[in-house]
């Protein structure tokens, strides 16, 4: 029997969109390697420079402040310049800033003098690290708006949560690789080279990204069948969306509030868990690797699992609304046991409780991000994600100060983890009140056309 060309291999959907997803995964990995170095080195740097808990909190605060401001601009930048150019600019800025941490003591006195003009008194080391973290935050703010926009461009709705979960799992891989590489580099070559070596990785990504990324409409590697699959959702009209046009919509505020409340908990894991392990269980730089690797390896499973769960429910016939919120509820409940982490005397019990919460956060995050592409047209996704990310970073600023204050006054993580364990369920309730259904946002394209 003869097989027609129409039924041959040419009709199979291509896979290049998953290569793009792999590049986004790599970028998220680099992003979190650069971001986490200071958390791993916190006890080392505190011992060398004599930082207090509030000094370290202010260094983290500087990152969050810049990240918040950067996210407000980054989404707009990605929508205006396009994903390829915008993402390239972001990673150059953050990679240079990551390496600049190594020279923080060189430019720190100048920064301290400048801050002194405004009545802010910091030591040279604290001021230098604050400046480096500020620039890192500005650059890293471009990662998620660019990645979410790329997913919206390259994937139909039914695949977006899975694609988001996959690229978002790169954050866990970055957080997993850091405790393996940073202690080794520091113990053998010093903390200076830990910042330099990790900062250089972003330029490796850029060499791959620039020649490989194009919009799917114009990409030579995308087959007609894959392009048809990517564009299987109704097309969005080409338009530019000012921030003022997304602010009146409750969908914007549901996403922003979810980010404001739950992003800070992830920052807590990233910047304070090494200190928690050191404070409660005596884990030093030589031995911090295995517990942190376990936490972020399990978190990686949660990131992909959260995206898979909602995508799987949709394929089984569930509504997008029911699938997303069921996955979010599952994740919110899985965070609750972390409230017992500070009370156990067992290192690995504490590690697994934090790991479960981190995995649940990543699964939650994959679905929260996808709420934007579920409810907004593609051309507005970058702007909405940037605004919501800014809200998350503002929440991160608050948690930095609050955690520093709690640790300085109580010396315990009990209250910190109690806050972490209860936040997600409250956030989900607010999201559901604002969006009982995932109604699509209708933007006035007559106003927003470029």
């Amino acid at each position: 029997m003869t097989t027609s060309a129409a039924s041959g291999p040419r009709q199979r959907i291509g896979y290049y969109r998953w290569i793009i997803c792999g590049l986004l995964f790599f970028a998220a990995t680099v992003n979190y390697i650069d971001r986490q170095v200071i958390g791993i080195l916190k006890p080392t740097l505190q011992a060398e420079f004599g930082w207090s808990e509030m000094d370290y909190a202010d260094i983290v605060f500087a990152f969050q402040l810049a990240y918040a401001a950067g996210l407000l601009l980054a989404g707009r930048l990605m929508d205006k310049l396009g994903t390829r150019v915008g993402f390239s600019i972001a990673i150059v800025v953050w990679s240079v800033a990551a390496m600049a941490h190594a020279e923080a003591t060189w430019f720190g006195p100048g920064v301290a003098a400048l801050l002194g003009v405004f009545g802010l008194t910091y030591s040279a080391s604290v001021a230098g690290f604050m400046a480096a973290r500020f620039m890192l935050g500005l650059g890293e703010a471009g990662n998620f708006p660019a990645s979410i926009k790329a997913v919206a461009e390259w994937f139909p709705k039914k695949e977006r949560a899975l694609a988001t979960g996959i690229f978002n799992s790169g954050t866990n891989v970055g957080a997993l690789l850091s405790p393996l590489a940073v202690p080794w580099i520091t113990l053998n070559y010093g903390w200076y080279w830990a910042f330099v070596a990790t900062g250089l990785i972003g330029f490796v990504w850029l060499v791959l990204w620039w020649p490989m990324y194009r919009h799917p409409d114009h990409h030579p590697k995308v087959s007609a069948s894959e392009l048809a699959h990517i564009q299987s959702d109704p097309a969005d009209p080409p338009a530019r969306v000012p921030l003022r046009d997304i602010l009146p919509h409750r969908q914007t505020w549901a996403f922003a509030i979810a980010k404001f409340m739950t992003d800070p908990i992830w920052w807590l894991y990233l910047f304070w868990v090494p200190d928690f392990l050191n404070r409660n269980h005596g884990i030093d730089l030589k031995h911090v690797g295995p517990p942190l690797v376990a936490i972020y390896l399990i978190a990686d499973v949660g990131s992909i699992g959260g995206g898979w769960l909602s995508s799987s429910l949709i394929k089984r016939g569930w509504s997008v609304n029911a699938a997303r919120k069921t996955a979010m509820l599952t994740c919110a409940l899985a965070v609750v046991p972390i409230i017992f982490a500070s009370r156990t005397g067992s290192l690995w019990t504490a590690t697994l409780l934090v790991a479960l919460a981190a995995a649940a956060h990543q699964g939650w995050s994959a679905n929260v991000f996808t709420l934007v592409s579920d409810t907004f047209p593609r051309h507005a996704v970058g702007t909405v994600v940037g605004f919501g990310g800014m809200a998350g970073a503002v929440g991160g600023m608050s948690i930095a100060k609050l955690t520093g204050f709690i640790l300085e006054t109580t010396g315990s993580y009990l209250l910190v983890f109690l806050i972490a364990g209860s936040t997600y369920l409250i956030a989900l309730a607010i999201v559901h009140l604002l969006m009982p259904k995932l109604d699509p946002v209708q933007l006035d394209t007559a106003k927003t056309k470029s």
Side-chain angles (χ1 to χ4, degrees):
M1 185 169 72
T2 303
T3 303
S4 67
S7 61
R10 287 178 295 177
Q11 289 298 306
R12 294 187 334 194
I13 297 173
Y15 58 84
Y16 198 83
R17 66 194 184 283
W18 296 108
I19 294 177
I20 296 300
C21 188
L23 287 173
L24 302 179
F25 170 90
F26 185 14
T29 300
V30 177
N31 186 281
Y32 267 70
I33 288 175
D34 292 340
R35 190 177 302 192
Q36 201 197 10
V37 174
I38 198 165
I40 295 171
L41 293 179
K42 176 180 183 284
T44 301
L45 296 173
Q46 274 188 306
E48 179 162 341
F49 297 115
W51 295 344
S52 68
E53 290 296 337
M54 291 307 298
D55 285 336
Y56 180 73
D58 285 340
I59 292 170
V60 173
F61 182 89
F63 174 90
Q64 300 289 4
L65 176 63
Y67 196 70
L71 279 168
L72 189 59
L73 301 173
R76 185 65 174 156
L77 181 71
M78 299 307 160
D79 286 340
K80 185 173 183 178
L81 298 182
T83 313
R84 182 172 182 246
V85 174
F87 212 160
S88 299
I89 293 171
I91 203 161
V92 168
V93 171
W94 97 52
S95 297
V96 171
M99 291 187 290
H101 284 68
E103 297 291 349
T105 55
W106 175 72
F107 55 78
V111 178
L114 179 62
L115 292 174
V117 173
F118 299 96
L120 302 173
T121 304
Y122 291 103
S123 68
S125 65
V126 172
F129 274 90
M130 285 176 65
R133 296 305 288 178
F134 188 88
M135 291 306 300
L136 183 69
L138 282 180
E140 290 204 345
N143 181 71
F144 283 99
S147 294
I148 295 298
K149 185 174 177 64
V151 167
E153 290 173 347
W154 277 88
F155 291 87
K157 283 187 178 181
K158 62 186 176 183
E159 291 180 343
R160 287 179 194 167
L162 179 58
T164 301
I166 290 173
F167 92 69
N168 193 46
S169 69
T171 63
N172 307 309
V173 173
L176 186 153
L177 292 176
S178 294
L180 295 176
V182 172
W184 184 86
I185 296 171
T186 302
L187 291 170
N188 286 279
Y189 302 101
W191 62 263
Y192 179 100
W193 290 105
F195 286 112
V196 173
T198 53
L200 285 171
I201 304 173
F203 293 100
V204 176
W205 177 89
L206 188 62
V207 169
L208 297 173
W209 173 260
W210 190 253
M212 293 178 68
Y213 192 90
R214 298 287 189 282
H215 193 280
D217 288 349
H218 314 294
H219 206 297
K221 298 286 188 180
V222 177
S223 66
S225 58
E226 184 172 16
L227 184 60
H229 177 73
I230 292 169
Q231 298 176 341
S232 58
D233 296 320
D236 298 320
R240 292 174 59 187
V241 182
L243 182 62
R244 66 178 179 272
D245 286 352
I246 67 167
L247 293 180
H249 298 282
R250 50 193 168 78
Q251 292 91 335
T252 300
W253 291 101
F255 175 69
I257 290 171
K259 296 288 285 179
F260 174 81
M261 294 183 68
T262 61
D263 275 15
I265 310 305
W266 181 253
W267 302 122
L268 175 67
Y269 305 147
L270 198 67
F271 296 137
W272 268 276
V273 162
D275 178 72
F276 163 69
L277 296 175
N278 176 264
R279 185 186 297 256
N280 282 42
H281 301 282
I283 302 300
D284 59 16
L285 191 62
K286 290 182 180 179
H287 303 97
V288 75
L292 291 183
V293 167
I295 288 169
Y296 293 110
L297 187 61
I298 294 171
D300 212 26
V301 176
S303 181
I304 297 174
W308 170 85
L309 176 58
S310 63
S311 294
S312 177
L313 292 174
I314 291 170
K315 289 179 181 178
R316 291 168 183 255
W318 287 44
S319 69
V320 174
N321 183 56
R324 299 283 189 247
K325 289 177 182 174
T326 297
M328 291 169 68
L329 176 61
T330 302
C331 295
L333 291 171
V335 178
V336 174
I338 197 176
I339 62 178
F340 302 108
S342 68
R343 308 303 292 173
T344 178
S346 166
L347 166 64
W348 284 103
T349 299
T351 297
L352 291 175
L353 288 171
V354 174
L356 176 62
H361 172 89
Q362 293 294 69
W364 163 277
S365 185
N367 285 280
V368 168
F369 273 127
T370 312
L371 293 178
V372 179
S373 54
D374 288 335
T375 54
F376 283 89
R378 287 185 180 92
H379 60 270
V381 165
T383 301
V384 178
V385 169
F387 178 72
M390 179 207 67
V394 170
M397 292 159 58
S398 303
I399 203 72
K401 289 287 194 179
L402 180 62
T403 302
F405 174 77
I406 291 172
L407 292 179
E408 286 237 323
T409 54
T410 71
S412 170
Y413 277 88
L414 176 61
L415 182 56
V416 174
F417 287 151
L418 183 62
I419 294 170
S422 58
T423 297
Y424 294 80
L425 289 170
I426 299 170
L428 179 57
I430 294 172
V431 168
H432 184 66
L433 285 172
L434 288 172
M435 288 196 303
K437 297 181 180 178
L438 300 185
D439 297 320
V441 172
Q442 301 298 324
L443 296 173
D444 188 347
T445 57
K447 289 183 179 179
T448 58
K449 281 184 180 179
S450 55

